[in-house]
Amino acid sequence: MRTFDYVITDESGFRPLSAGELVSAAEEFESHIKIVTGHKSADAKRILSVVSLGARKGQRITVETEGIDEIVAARRLRRWLTENM
């Protein structure tokens, strides 16, 4: 399993559009991908799950990838978050 933390910098946090784009990026991988924030966690391949986190600007999230392509998934999702959130 690979994990990394990221602090949301986007003013709107995880709104439906950005959550949908994140889900699309996560769906490219076979690994299970989870986003954790506070006491909540979400399946990164399910838009309603990601939106329900309610992640806002300044909030720290942890992304966990586990599976055959976990290393590549973690790298690409970190890059996606940096470029988009």
Side-chain angles (χ1 to χ4, degrees), residues 11-77:
E11 291 293 330
S12 301
F14 277 135
R15 58 193 186 284
L17 179 60
S18 60
E21 292 171 354
L22 175 64
V23 168
S24 292
E27 286 177 332
E28 294 179 18
F29 304 101
E30 290 184 42
S31 292
H32 176 72
I33 302 168
K34 182 166 67 168
I35 301 171
V36 181
T37 172
H39 295 24
K40 296 180 181 179
S41 67
D43 180 344
K45 296 180 182 181
R46 301 182 62 106
I47 191 167
L48 293 178
S49 186
V50 174
V51 171
S52 73
L53 288 175
R56 305 260 185 253
K57 181 179 180 183
Q59 189 167 13
R60 179 178 306 277
I61 63 171
T62 300
V63 178
E64 300 175 356
T65 62
E66 186 171 11
I68 193 163
D69 53 1
E70 65 189 31
I71 295 170
V72 175
R75 283 185 196 147
R76 288 198 189 150
L77 290 174

